[in-house]
Amino acid sequence: MKAMILAAGKGTRVRPLTYELPKPMIPVLGKPVMAYLIEHLAMHGVADIMINVSYLHKKIQDYFEDGHRFGVNIGYSFEGDIIDGQVVPHAVGSAGGMRKIQDFSGFFDETTIVLCGDAVIDLDITRAVNEHKKKGALASLVTMQVPMDKVSGYGIVVTNQEGRIISFQEKPTQLEARSNWASTGIYIFEPEVLDLIPSGSEFDIGSDLFPLLVQRGLPFYAIQHPFNWIDIGVVADYWLVMQQMMQGFFPSMPIPGKQIRPGVYVGLNVHIDWEHTQIEGPVYIGSGSRVDKNARIIGPTWISNGCHIQRDSTVIRSILFDYTRIAQGYQVEERIVCGEYCVDRDGRMMHIDDENCDIIWTDAREKVVYPQNYAHARL
């Protein structure tokens, strides 16, 4: 079995997190979301993985390289061009990306699992592929049951009694929905599927390839195994996922670092005035971070590497990306602070220079002068 991870999109629905990071590189408990996916594939014996890349492709390639530290072989297919000396991303669609790889090298020569690079899963891949083969499927789509009041956020799959897919509904209303089984963006394909994808054109798996499979009456099935599927569709999803993970909803994904107080985890080289701060877990404070006198941190809160919480500041149920300094006396509550942007749990975004912004934050790498003696507070 081989695998392909779809990682060429711009992640527009999770901006501003994706202004400087491709969506598969968004950190979940300090690790890119796609790293969990590659580790899971390796656990199921998948050795060869192709990744199509486009937007900010170097960020992905520089991190994962050839895959050797994950115990797999990783290859890349870039989608874009160089115009006037600048790299210009141009994704060719999820199925078009597969065809581009096939035309180049013939990679898809055996059963292949195709996954979106922006979700964390614990699907029993081996069991799913065995079911796919047992049914004699040309293509299979892994589905998950969602509440009826949530169907408008998903592509909905309609099957017959044998599990054969007969139609799709793209984000139907609750009244229109003919089922509540949603596509998870996890697909299993036999090599013959590639013959249905035209060369040199944009072609999408969901909107182009799947309707073609149904129209031609080819063996196309839904797989309905129970599993955890952590999808980061919008910013609100990311905030909620981090909250749940830090509260232990996913036991297989523990908070990293060293637990030095109940519910309080730290990386190396942190600098905290323990005597004069209030920290209520679950809280993670990353390596090289500093928490000053009279600061208050209420969990679930994730503070990334190199951050600085200045004195008299408060951080409540929030996520701070690397090198964030919260200015003295300000309160950050249920926010994500990412570079020059701050976004609340509902996706409302503010820039660091917005006049109506109610908090002040800066880059923690900018030097500040401390009148206090912090020697006693060091770990």
Side-chain angles (χ1 to χ4, degrees):
M1 178 172 52
K2 292 182 176 180
M4 177 175 176
I5 298 177
L6 305 171
K10 290 185 176 180
T12 55
R13 294 196 301 150
V14 287
R15 289 175 176 167
L17 307 184
T18 51
Y19 280 144
E20 296 183 0
L21 285 175
K23 194 175 177 185
M25 293 299 294
I26 290 175
V28 174
L29 296 184
K31 188 163 63 175
V33 61
M34 195 164 74
Y36 294 100
L37 204 55
I38 290 174
E39 290 169 351
H40 191 65
L41 288 167
M43 187 175 70
H44 283 272
V46 179
D48 296 331
I49 303 171
M50 279 298 301
I51 304 174
N52 71 328
V53 293
S54 186
Y55 176 68
L56 297 177
H57 66 103
K58 284 286 288 176
K59 301 265 187 172
I60 294 174
Q61 291 178 241
D62 288 349
Y63 185 89
F64 292 101
E65 298 180 318
D66 64 1
H68 71 275
R69 65 190 175 95
F70 296 91
V72 298
N73 303 309
I74 294 178
Y76 302 92
S77 175
F78 172 71
E79 299 175 10
D81 206 344
I82 294 183
I83 300 175
D84 296 329
Q86 299 293 319
V87 176
V88 180
H90 180 72
V92 295
S94 50
M98 293 178 64
R99 184 69 206 206
K100 182 176 184 288
I101 292 168
Q102 188 72 350
D103 289 343
F104 188 79
S105 68
F107 175 78
F108 300 99
D109 58 359
E110 59 182 278
T111 304
T112 301
I113 184 165
V114 178
L115 314 96
C116 295
D118 56 5
V120 178
I121 64 170
D122 64 0
L123 173 71
D124 187 336
I125 292 173
T126 304
R127 180 185 171 201
V129 171
N130 287 341
E131 180 176 325
H132 163 85
K133 290 179 176 293
K134 184 177 179 180
K135 289 181 174 179
L138 188 66
S140 294
L141 166 58
V142 178
T143 60
M144 174 168 285
Q145 202 165 24
V146 298
M148 285 300 298
D149 61 352
K150 303 291 185 183
V151 293
S152 60
Y154 298 92
I156 296 300
V157 179
V158 183
T159 65
N160 64 15
Q161 291 182 342
E162 290 74 40
R164 193 157 180 159
I165 296 174
I166 56 176
S167 67
F168 295 90
Q169 294 179 285
E170 182 59 28
K171 298 180 179 177
T173 66
Q174 187 172 342
L175 290 175
E176 295 170 337
R178 295 171 56 200
S179 95
N180 62 337
W181 287 94
S183 169
T184 62
I186 304 171
Y187 322 117
I188 304 170
F189 294 131
E190 294 302 316
E192 293 79 8
V193 168
L194 276 296
D195 297 333
L196 302 172
I197 305 171
S199 296
S201 62
E202 292 187 24
F203 208 71
D204 184 70
I205 290 174
S207 59
D208 297 311
L209 177 59
F210 285 168
L212 186 60
L213 288 166
V214 172
Q215 177 189 338
R216 297 195 180 182
L218 296 170
F220 180 25
Y221 288 88
I223 292 175
Q224 299 178 343
H225 295 176
F227 70 104
N228 289 311
W229 173 42
I230 305 170
D231 178 42
I232 303 172
V234 295
V235 171
D237 294 335
Y238 178 64
W239 181 87
L240 180 59
V241 161
M242 286 290 285
Q243 292 287 300
Q244 291 176 337
M245 285 184 168
M246 295 198 70
Q247 293 177 81
F249 282 39
F250 305 97
S252 63
M253 301 174 69
I255 299 175
K258 178 182 179 181
Q259 184 172 203
I260 55 173
R261 292 186 178 183
V264 180
Y265 301 79
V266 299
L268 299 176
N269 190 37
V270 300
H271 188 137
I272 301 171
D273 185 339
W274 291 105
E275 184 179 353
H276 302 100
T277 55
Q278 177 188 352
I279 303 178
E280 299 178 11
V283 167
Y284 174 81
I285 301 171
S287 173
S289 292
R290 180 193 308 270
V291 181
D292 287 350
K293 183 178 181 179
N294 294 332
R296 189 165 67 104
I297 304 172
I298 308 298
T301 286
W302 179 276
I303 297 174
S304 300
N305 298 328
C307 291
H308 182 190
I309 314 302
Q310 290 194 303
R311 62 186 304 163
D312 302 313
S313 299
T314 300
V315 181
I316 302 173
R317 295 184 296 279
S318 294
I319 303 163
L320 308 185
F321 276 44
D322 287 350
Y323 297 111
T324 298
R325 173 180 289 128
I326 303 301
Q328 180 174 329
Y330 281 87
Q331 176 168 304
V332 178
E333 182 170 359
E334 297 189 345
R335 306 274 182 99
I336 303 167
V337 183
C338 172
E340 295 185 348
Y341 293 88
C342 174
V343 57
D344 69 17
R345 58 176 294 181
D346 296 317
R348 290 185 289 268
M349 181 170 59
M350 292 176 289
H351 187 265
I352 197 169
D353 293 328
D354 288 349
E355 291 184 1
N356 63 342
C357 191
D358 59 351
I359 64 172
I360 293 177
W361 73 96
T362 58
D363 190 321
R365 289 167 290 193
E366 295 176 357
K367 187 176 181 180
V368 292
V369 178
Y370 300 98
Q372 304 101 322
N373 176 7
Y374 284 92
H376 71 281
R378 292 178 182 166
L379 293 180

